[in-house]
């Protein structure tokens, strides 16, 4: 009987160790496991590039789902998703809601990009004034603008233009709204006189099937209200704070433990992630180091 009990106990121990090993194998860490991220559609290309390199270097799988800014914020607040990438920080009211639920979101600034105006290359005009855009949104006729085309009524681009103009952007006569940045670029590429409003990342890193449409549009230099100069959204102008439609990109992690949210945020802000940002045409938070080899 004692021998039988020992055998049974040994069997239970083996089973317990096997179960523990399986659980440990599937356990998420900062560089291992699976996680879902909601990504603002206007900045998807840079996040997709970062994901590809991160997954190559680590035993991790990130599922990226594009959403509008409002949809992502609502999903974070409702605990539908724990990790998100947005072109802004959470505001005070949003942070208070998380604190009430005893959640302390970690927000990591990893890049600066820009909302840009585009027009068909058939036009020789490469400049636009914010005052002209605002006047057009008020219903006034403006030379060179037949219509404004936005990506999504709930997008970060619409929010930024609404804040700058003091006018809520809604679909109306000569103001159109699609679902994605790629649809806006395609429409402007096919329709002369239309002004598109998109995230610059879709133009610096377009998917291969969009290249022809990107080649058919021009990114416009913008004159801010009460300013004299027209500013192009280059890395240098973003770094100097000259471009009026610049915005900071953040990864927001509400996991509350050391998971892939923390690991991916560290990667984005680290040497490799910042080098990817620099190569993309956006502005990294810190300039990656360069090693110079001097040969005799």
């Amino acid at each position: 009987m004692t021998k039988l009990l020992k055998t049974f106990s040994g069997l239970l121990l083996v089973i317990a160790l096997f179960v523990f090993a399986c659980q440990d194998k599937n356990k998420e860490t900062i560089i291992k496991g699976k996680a879902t991220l909601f990504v603002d559609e206007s900045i998807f290309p840079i996040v997709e590039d970062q994901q590809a390199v991160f997954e190559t270097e680590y035993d991790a799988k990130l599922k990226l789902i594009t959403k509008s800014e409002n949809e992502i914020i609502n999903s974070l607040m409702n605990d539908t998703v724990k990790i998100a990438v947005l072109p802004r920080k959470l505001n005070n009211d949003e942070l208070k809601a998380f604190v009430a639920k005893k959640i302390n979101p970690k927000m990591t600034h990893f890049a600066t990009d820009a909302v840009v105006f585009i027009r068909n290359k058939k036009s020789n005009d490469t400049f636009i004034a914010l005052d002209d855009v605002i006047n057009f949104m008020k219903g006034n006729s403006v030379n060179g603008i037949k219509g404004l085309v936005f990506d999504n009524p709930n997008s970060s681009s619409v929010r930024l233009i609404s804040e700058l103009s003091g006018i809520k952007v809604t679909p109306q006569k000569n103001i159109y709204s699609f679902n994605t940045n790629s649809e806006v670029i395609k429409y402007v590429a096919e329709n002369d006189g239309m002004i598109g409003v998109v995230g610059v990342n879709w133009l610096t890193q377009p998917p291969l099937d969009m290249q022809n449409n990107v080649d058919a549009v021009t990114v416009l230099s913008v004159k801010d209200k009460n300013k004299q100069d027209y500013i192009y959204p280059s890395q240098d102008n973003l770094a100097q704070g000259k471009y009026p439609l610049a915005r900071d990109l953040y990864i927001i992690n509400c996991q509350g433990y050391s998971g892939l949210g923390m690991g991916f945020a560290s990667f984005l802000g680290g040497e490799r992630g910042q080098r990817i940002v620099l190569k993309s045409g956006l502005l990294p938070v810190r300039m990656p180091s360069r090693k110079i080899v001097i040969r005799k």
Side-chain angles (χ1 to χ4, degrees):
M1 185 69 177
T2 302
K3 185 177 181 181
L4 182 62
L5 286 173
K6 288 182 178 180
T7 302
F8 183 70
S9 298
L11 182 61
L12 287 177
L13 179 61
V14 170
I15 293 173
L17 289 173
F18 177 77
V19 171
F20 177 78
C22 290
Q23 289 177 339
D24 186 65
K25 183 179 179 180
N26 295 324
K27 183 180 179 182
E28 180 189 337
T29 69
I30 62 172
I31 57 173
K32 182 179 72 173
K34 298 179 181 180
T36 297
L37 282 75
F38 281 7
V39 181
D40 187 291
E41 193 270 337
S42 68
I43 57 173
F44 179 72
I46 181 61
V47 183
E48 186 180 40
D49 280 358
Q50 299 277 7
Q51 171 209 24
V53 179
F54 184 75
E55 290 182 347
T56 299
E57 294 194 355
Y58 304 107
D59 184 20
K61 184 66 178 177
L62 301 176
K63 182 179 180 181
L64 306 184
I65 299 176
T66 57
K67 299 278 187 179
S68 69
E69 182 180 272
N70 284 352
E71 289 175 319
I72 293 175
I73 293 296
N74 289 335
S75 295
L76 285 170
M77 302 293 284
N78 296 328
D79 297 327
T80 304
V81 70
K82 296 292 186 180
I83 314 168
V85 184
L86 287 167
R88 71 169 177 89
K89 294 193 293 186
L90 297 176
N91 61 38
N92 289 335
D93 289 337
E94 291 159 354
L95 285 172
K96 287 178 181 178
F98 279 109
V99 170
K101 295 189 291 185
K102 298 183 179 179
I103 298 174
N104 183 26
K106 304 296 182 182
M107 296 181 285
T108 303
H109 176 202
F110 69 93
T112 298
D113 91 324
V115 171
V116 297
F117 296 109
I118 59 173
R119 84 162 75 233
N120 192 292
K121 270 192 176 175
K122 292 178 181 178
S123 171
N124 294 322
D125 192 355
T126 59
F127 303 95
I128 194 166
L130 276 178
D131 281 338
D132 287 342
V133 174
I134 294 171
N135 283 331
F136 188 85
M137 291 170 60
K138 290 179 178 179
N140 299 321
S141 177
V142 176
N143 289 335
I145 304 179
K146 291 182 180 178
L148 286 174
V149 189
F150 293 90
D151 52 348
N152 187 299
N154 296 311
S155 75
S156 54
S157 302
V158 167
R159 173 188 55 79
L160 182 59
I161 298 299
S162 295
E163 289 176 353
L164 287 173
S165 66
I167 303 170
K168 185 177 180 181
V169 177
T170 56
Q172 52 186 292
K173 183 181 178 181
N174 298 327
I175 297 180
Y176 310 96
S177 178
F178 291 98
N179 290 313
T180 65
N181 282 250
S182 58
E183 290 176 317
V184 175
I185 295 169
K186 183 176 186 295
Y187 187 81
V188 173
E190 296 174 349
N191 294 273
D192 191 18
M194 306 303 292
I195 302 295
V197 184
V198 297
V200 71
N201 194 206
W202 281 95
L203 302 165
T204 58
Q205 292 179 289
L208 291 177
D209 61 351
M210 277 184 57
Q211 189 63 58
N212 288 338
N213 289 330
V214 170
D215 291 340
V217 303
T218 299
V219 177
L220 305 180
S221 297
V222 179
K223 185 176 78 169
D224 200 356
K225 293 179 290 184
N226 304 318
K227 297 290 180 65
Q228 296 299 318
D229 296 330
Y230 287 87
I231 307 297
Y232 188 79
S234 64
Q235 283 180 318
D236 185 51
N237 286 331
L238 290 175
Q240 295 184 53
K242 292 182 177 180
Y243 187 70
L245 301 176
R247 56 188 188 170
D248 294 332
L249 309 187
Y250 292 86
I251 178 170
I252 300 172
N253 176 23
C254 301
Q255 283 187 301
Y257 58 88
S258 299
L260 281 175
M262 182 181 295
F264 193 48
S266 297
F267 177 82
L268 293 177
E271 176 80 14
R272 193 70 182 274
Q274 292 295 282
R275 196 171 295 280
I276 294 170
V277 173
L278 181 64
K279 187 178 179 181
S280 75
L282 304 186
L283 178 69
V285 173
R286 58 190 64 83
M287 199 57 64
S289 61
R290 296 181 63 189
K291 293 182 180 180
I292 301 176
V293 178
I294 300 176
R295 301 175 186 269
K296 292 183 179 181

